[in-house]
Amino acid sequence: MTEPGRQAVVCVERLSKYFGSGNARVDALIDINMEVFPGQVVGLMGPSGSGKTTLLNCMACILEPSGGRLTLDGEAVYDDHWLKADLRRLRLDKIGFIFQYPNLLPFLDATDNVAVVLHLAGLGAAAAHKRAVELLDYLEVGHRKRALPKQLSGGEAQRVAIARALANQPRIILADEPTAPLDSARARIVMDLLRRIAIDQSAAIIVVTHDEMILDRFDHIYRLRDGRLETDEVTRAPVGADY
Amino acid sequence: MNLAYRDIKHNFLRFVLTNFGLSLLLGIVIMMTGVYGGLIDDALRQARAANADLWVVEAGTNGPFAESSRIPGDTRELVSRVYGVQRAGSVTYQSVQTELNGAPHRLFLIGFEPGRPGGPRQISAGRNILRSHYEMIVDRSAGLALGQEVLLGTRDHKFSVVGLMRNEVTSSGDPVAYITLRDAQALQFELAPPASRREQARGGSLETNDQINAVIAKVSPHVPVAEAAAALSRWKHLTALTQTQQETLLSKFVIEKARKQQLLIMVLLVIVSAVIIALIIYTMTMDKVRSIATLKFVGAPDRTIIGLIVQQSLSLGITGYVAGLALVFTFRPFFPRRLVFDPESVVAVFAITIVVCLAASTLGIRLALRVDPAEALSAAG
């Protein structure tokens, strides 16, 4: 699905991952190829154990693949071995991650949960706070900026988590079942939000999901089964055509 | 953004309760240093109170505290005539037990010659001994008041309290009391009336033995103490000990076992504290595994994680230490024996607390650094 004249933000080539060795070897990913372009929201679907989260972890540079090549934002980061020494910095600068559950730090309020990522990136306290508040307003949870995670509803907490993922303006946003704890109406709202972010920030968004109700929110869907890419479907018109 | 502070603020009640427990533990460590300091200080006080340059005792003994020493009562006159000796005074030491209001009271009696070396260092209330008999200056810890009368000796002589001192106790915690040398000698050697009659019947002597335990000598500032000691050592029946030697005898030998025992208890307490602090930090880290995984996932460097744990560990240690110190000083007056804190030992315990906290936090740091960022992906949090 290479698009001439556009560079993929995420490019996965022949990526494989296995665990164990010999008879105990389990192939979690086998020769995965995929590309995600700026502004795209891509779905990664498949039954449990199909390798979705493993693929997401490899793309998040949390898990080292066993072979293949991975390019993030035009920079080759893996080619049969890690090419970057500081993967932590790479994650901080280029990747935003939205977890299945918000995973907000319980001892920080909504603003600081967003600002903490900015601090880690080296932004000063005032600037980090200002940007965090802007992001919360953008995600329409600005009125809850002083609330602790336990005081937020599920939808509000997930929005704060999305704000945290966006804090450093990453080109790549990886989401692991972000709508799982939400009802279908809120799930659609979150997916629409992700689409808006993809377009506004020209980011590539990859969403692992089981939720068939949100399929129409994806530009592209990859289906995995037993570690192999089964189908590769285009579900929407090219980015920007109808949104 | 200080994550450690935010976490403490968020779990403030838990922090306060943990801290309270830790402060009790550290309070006991601090208290033990006070007991240890008190033991040494009390032991040395007896020797230091005399303000001596030289202690003249029975030949071949380490008297009068480490060993028994008996020398003739006129030794003081001999010592006074030795070259370099400016002033000298005879002293006796003895422990007595008397009853006050039906309760037994132990006293450590020092017999001295008023106006000569060997008397009380400082009187906090009342006056010095002016009469030659039956007056007493006693430490406040005896619980006696000025003017109160105390029965001493086999013949129940009434001694009147004319002066009070502070912090003059023996290494075993008994309050010190000063009386005149003549009274002390009488108490030491006089017999109870029945025993006296029996002694008289068998033709024994009824004269008081004019014996003393030591002579305290002050040496002229123009004469080296060692020179005066050497001159005194020429007397075959006497031994001259310098003040330093006397203090060494007291601190190294007289209270050696008690000192070592308390030191060992202190070391054990520090080890117990270290284990408990380590467990507290470990448990606190365990509670934060998910947050740590999330932080690592979003790109937090190891130093941020280490900083979080070390800062919390130090916060616990420092506040626990301060609270422990406050507790000890609050309850200090209620201890039956003196707690003596010198600045060095207070600082040393603080330094040990910091080192223990840093060492204890390594267990938590080890756990935190081994947390897989991917744990942030698993299960609800």
Side-chain angles (χ1 to χ4, degrees):
Chain A
M1 60 170 268
T2 306
E3 294 179 19
R6 296 180 71 201
Q7 192 185 25
V9 183
V10 178
C11 182
V12 177
E13 298 165 79
R14 295 172 289 98
L15 200 80
S16 63
K17 175 66 188 175
Y18 59 83
F19 297 98
S21 59
N23 289 338
R25 174 170 157 159
V26 175
D27 287 301
L29 296 172
I30 304 162
D31 283 339
I32 304 292
N33 289 291
M34 64 184 284
E35 282 184 314
V36 188
F37 291 91
Q40 273 192 334
V41 180
V42 166
L44 208 54
M45 302 188 77
S48 292
S50 59
K52 304 183 300 291
T53 302
T54 305
L55 179 57
L56 207 68
N57 282 349
C58 288
M59 287 191 282
C61 305
I62 287 290
L63 189 64
E64 185 173 5
S66 304
R69 188 178 161 85
L70 175 66
T71 307
L72 299 176
D73 197 18
E75 205 174 350
V77 293
Y78 183 85
D79 193 355
D80 287 330
H81 62 275
W82 289 120
L83 300 172
K84 305 283 283 182
D86 193 355
L87 294 169
R88 178 196 67 78
R89 190 75 219 184
L90 182 87
R91 275 203 304 279
L92 190 61
D93 292 340
K94 290 190 189 298
I95 304 170
F97 206 98
I98 303 163
F99 302 93
Q100 181 176 354
Y101 296 94
N103 274 359
L104 300 175
L105 300 177
F107 48 89
L108 298 181
D109 63 22
T111 311
D112 286 339
N113 258 292
V114 179
V116 71
V117 182
L118 296 159
H119 274 294
L120 293 172
L123 208 63
H129 188 267
K130 185 168 176 281
R131 166 118 179 101
V133 171
E134 281 170 7
L135 276 167
L136 292 174
D137 286 338
Y138 172 70
L139 293 167
E140 296 165 14
V141 275
H143 62 293
R144 305 290 281 147
K145 63 184 179 186
R146 281 285 144 229
L148 288 168
K150 66 181 177 190
Q151 297 164 327
L152 296 170
S153 69
E156 287 171 338
Q158 196 60 295
R159 280 161 186 262
V160 175
I162 293 170
R164 180 177 62 189
L166 299 179
N168 284 329
Q169 296 177 295
R171 293 297 312 282
I172 302 150
I173 295 169
L174 306 174
D176 186 21
E177 305 207 37
T179 58
L182 306 176
D183 58 46
S184 56
R186 287 184 191 280
R188 283 174 180 279
I189 291 169
V190 166
M191 285 310 299
D192 286 342
L193 193 60
L194 290 177
R195 280 203 62 79
R196 199 172 90 200
I197 291 161
I199 293 164
D200 287 357
Q201 301 198 4
S202 196
I205 301 183
I206 300 168
V207 180
V208 166
T209 186
H210 279 107
D211 191 353
E212 297 283 341
M213 302 287 286
I214 56 167
L215 293 188
D216 59 339
R217 262 50 184 180
F218 294 119
D219 296 306
H220 209 94
I221 296 171
Y222 290 94
R223 290 186 188 272
L224 282 164
R225 183 175 289 276
D226 298 331
R228 291 179 191 278
L229 206 55
E230 206 176 48
T231 54
D232 173 358
E233 309 161 18
V234 176
T235 61
R236 290 176 71 103
V239 171
D242 68 341
Y243 198 84
Chain B
M1 187 185 300
N2 189 313
L3 296 176
Y5 167 70
R6 298 298 181 88
D7 187 34
I8 288 171
K9 197 175 149 193
H10 183 245
N11 296 300
F12 192 66
L13 183 65
R14 191 180 69 173
F15 181 79
V16 168
L17 291 175
T18 308
N19 212 274
F20 178 67
L22 192 61
S23 68
L24 291 177
L25 185 66
L26 290 174
I28 291 171
V29 177
I30 296 165
M31 183 199 74
M32 282 308 296
T33 63
V35 172
Y36 180 80
L39 177 82
I40 293 172
D41 194 70
D42 287 348
L44 295 179
R45 263 179 180 270
Q46 293 169 56
R48 285 176 183 167
N51 193 24
D53 291 326
L54 285 172
W55 292 77
V56 183
V57 297
E58 187 179 346
T61 71
N62 289 315
F65 306 109
E67 283 183 276
S68 155
S69 156
R70 281 198 171 177
I71 51 178
D74 60 0
T75 306
R76 189 250 301 158
E77 286 154 30
L78 296 176
V79 171
S80 299
R81 286 197 290 270
V82 170
Y83 169 71
V85 174
Q86 207 169 38
R87 296 168 66 219
S90 305
V91 285
T92 61
Y93 297 94
Q94 60 187 310
S95 286
V96 295
Q97 185 162 314
T98 183
E99 277 199 10
L100 273 170
N101 305 324
H105 267 67
R106 287 191 62 76
L107 291 173
F108 186 73
L109 291 183
I110 300 178
F112 76 108
E113 296 176 285
R116 293 187 180 278
R121 184 164 26 185
Q122 197 172 9
I123 296 169
S124 62
R127 59 167 174 82
N128 217 323
I129 290 174
L130 298 176
R131 289 165 53 193
S132 46
H133 289 293
Y134 308 129
E135 286 192 340
M136 172 190 275
I137 298 166
V138 69
D139 185 72
R140 284 177 187 271
S141 64
L144 297 169
L146 286 175
Q148 195 167 349
E149 289 189 331
V150 185
L151 297 178
L152 291 178
T154 52
R155 296 188 183 184
D156 284 345
H157 298 295
K158 273 187 188 169
F159 281 79
S160 178
V161 176
V162 297
L164 295 173
M165 305 172 290
R166 278 185 204 281
N167 303 327
E168 294 294 344
V169 293
T170 64
S171 58
S172 54
D174 293 337
V176 166
Y178 285 88
I179 55 176
T180 62
L181 183 71
R182 292 294 159 224
D183 285 345
Q185 286 174 322
L187 290 176
Q188 222 167 32
F189 300 111
E190 79 179 4
L191 297 170
S196 177
R197 283 195 295 275
R198 186 183 174 283
E199 191 66 15
Q200 199 172 13
R202 75 178 187 95
S205 167
L206 288 178
E207 283 179 21
T208 304
N209 283 310
D210 185 17
Q211 288 192 322
I212 55 173
N213 297 125
V215 171
I216 287 161
K218 291 292 292 174
V219 177
S220 162
H222 308 294
V223 177
V225 173
E227 201 174 310
L232 281 163
S233 296
R234 281 199 284 271
W235 297 88
K236 297 295 178 199
H237 65 298
L238 298 176
T239 293
L241 299 169
T242 62
Q243 178 68 15
T244 312
Q245 286 173 316
Q246 192 64 263
E247 287 186 16
T248 306
L249 281 170
L250 277 165
S251 59
K252 297 280 181 201
F253 302 108
V254 176
I255 57 164
E256 180 64 1
K257 281 187 180 155
R259 197 175 65 89
K260 276 186 177 169
Q261 177 140 333
Q262 288 193 7
L263 200 62
L264 189 63
I265 292 170
M266 268 165 60
V267 170
L268 289 174
L269 275 172
V270 168
I271 292 169
V272 170
S273 307
V275 171
I276 289 173
I277 292 171
L279 286 175
I280 291 171
I281 301 299
Y282 189 79
T283 310
M284 283 169 72
T285 310
M286 285 281 281
D287 290 346
K288 283 195 286 287
V289 162
R290 194 170 185 79
S291 296
I292 289 168
T294 305
L295 278 168
K296 287 173 114 174
F297 203 111
V298 298
D302 284 348
R303 67 169 183 278
T304 302
I305 312 294
I306 293 169
L308 169 69
I309 294 162
V310 169
Q311 284 171 40
Q312 288 200 336
S313 179
L314 289 177
S315 305
L316 261 180
I318 292 169
T319 49
Y321 175 85
V322 172
L325 195 65
L327 274 174
V328 170
F329 274 86
T330 303
F331 290 101
R332 191 183 183 185
F334 303 103
F335 281 85
R337 288 195 56 177
R338 288 191 325 127
L339 301 184
V340 176
F341 299 97
D342 55 279
E344 289 84 2
S345 63
V346 172
V347 170
V349 175
F350 180 74
I352 289 169
T353 305
I354 298 299
V355 171
V356 162
C357 285
L358 290 174
S361 62
T362 56
L363 205 62
I365 290 169
R366 201 174 125 88
L367 170 72
L369 294 183
R370 287 169 71 176
V371 169
D372 184 357
E375 280 188 40
L377 297 170
S378 60

